[in-house]
Amino acid sequence: MAKSTNQNKQMKSKSKKLSKRQRRNKIIVYLMITAMVLSAFTAGLAHFINS
C-alpha cells in the first residue's frame, strides 16, 4: 500500500516535458493574450485622448 502511494507521488512530481509543438502553441497563446491586452489598453488610451 505504501509503495503504490509513493509511486503516485513520484509520478505527479515529475514534470512532463512538452513537445516542441506544444511549447510553440503555448507561446503563441501567450503572445495573443498580451496583444489583446495591449490593444485594449491603447484603444482605451485613444478614446481618453480624443474625448
Side-chain angles (χ1 to χ4, degrees), residues 22-32:
Q22 287 173 325
R23 230 177 315 163
R24 194 180 325 126
N25 285 347
K26 198 173 190 180
I27 290 171
I28 290 171
V29 167
Y30 283 128
L31 283 174
M32 289 174 68

Side-chain angles (χ1 to χ4, degrees), residues 6 29 41:
N6 193 17
V29 167
F41 178 72

Side-chain angles (χ1 to χ4, degrees), residues 2 16 19 29 35 40:
K16 211 174 184 184
S19 68
V29 167

Side-chain angles (χ1 to χ4, degrees), residues 13-50:
S13 66
K14 286 184 183 178
S15 60
K16 211 174 184 184
K17 189 173 182 183
L18 296 175
S19 68
K20 286 184 182 179
R21 181 184 292 164
Q22 287 173 325
R23 230 177 315 163
R24 194 180 325 126
N25 285 347
K26 198 173 190 180
I27 290 171
I28 290 171
V29 167
Y30 283 128
L31 283 174
M32 289 174 68
I33 290 171
T34 53
M36 285 170 47
V37 168
L38 286 175
S39 67
F41 178 72
T42 53
L45 209 62
H47 181 70
F48 178 74
I49 290 172
N50 285 335

